Amino acid sequence: MTSATERGFTLIELIVFIVVVSAGLAGILSVMNTTVQFSAEPMARKQAMVLAESILEEVVQKDYADTDLLDPTLVPKAEHVKDTSRATMDDVDDYHGTTESIFTDWPASLTGYKVNIGVVETQWSVITSPKVPVKKITVTVTGGGHTISLSGYRADY
């Protein structure tokens, strides 16, 4: 007769424990692997968004119309002449159809981004009466697997 109770785990209990813990760890590690794999993606999207915002802000701050056409001391021009250098771009129309090639002062980390700027003339007729001519500026930035498109308006005020 043995009255002493034995304590401990059986071999089967240990094997079941190891299998359950291994399955849990495999699940956790697979989730972590997916998270780490795409951890740079939000950064690329944010960078594209900030780039589009800064370009749109630069364009919207320019004059509505070409000031060279309005200055009587300059030789009169028959029509708008598009400036090709960023330093001489003085109105929003100068940016129409431009790409990232005009932005020569970008840091090296932004060289993978493509930019397209479009400017079209439209009118605000819902908000104001009479109709007010405005120019819609659309900046599209592509890079890092994302395409960000932002629009802004410039009115002649």
Side-chain angles (χ1 to χ4, degrees):
M1 281 183 117
T2 59
S3 63
T5 57
E6 296 183 23
R7 294 189 167 190
F9 298 106
T10 64
L11 183 59
I12 294 174
E13 290 174 331
L14 286 175
I15 291 173
V16 169
F17 173 76
I18 291 171
V19 169
V20 170
V21 169
S22 297
L25 282 175
I28 291 172
L29 290 177
S30 68
V31 169
M32 288 182 60
N33 186 33
T34 304
T35 304
V36 170
Q37 183 179 3
F38 296 110
S39 65
E41 192 169 312
M43 179 63 175
R45 179 173 171 72
K46 179 71 172 174
Q47 205 167 23
M49 178 68 82
V50 169
L51 188 58
E53 287 173 347
S54 67
I55 292 170
L56 181 61
E57 182 179 357
E58 176 182 327
V59 178
V60 169
Q61 289 180 358
K62 299 297 181 181
D63 289 331
Y64 177 82
D66 194 353
T67 55
D68 298 339
L69 295 174
L70 304 175
D71 189 352
T73 62
L74 299 174
V75 177
K77 298 178 185 177
E79 60 184 50
H80 178 271
V81 176
K82 183 176 176 178
D83 295 319
T84 56
S85 168
R86 190 170 162 209
T88 60
M89 291 180 168
D90 57 356
D91 64 290
V92 295
D93 287 326
D94 289 337
Y95 286 88
H96 179 67
T98 57
T99 63
E100 69 281 351
S101 61
I102 65 167
F103 299 99
T104 57
D105 57 347
W106 280 3
S109 62
L110 298 178
T111 56
Y113 290 93
K114 302 293 180 195
V115 175
N116 188 11
I117 304 171
V119 178
V120 294
E121 196 159 335
T122 184
Q123 292 183 342
W124 281 343
S125 59
V126 178
I127 301 172
T128 60
S129 182
K131 295 179 179 180
V132 175
V134 296
K135 293 180 181 173
K136 181 180 180 183
I137 304 141
T138 304
V139 177
T140 305
V141 176
T142 304
H146 299 283
T147 299
I148 304 294
S149 186
L150 297 179
S151 296
Y153 293 88
R154 179 68 169 97
D156 189 16
Y157 283 111

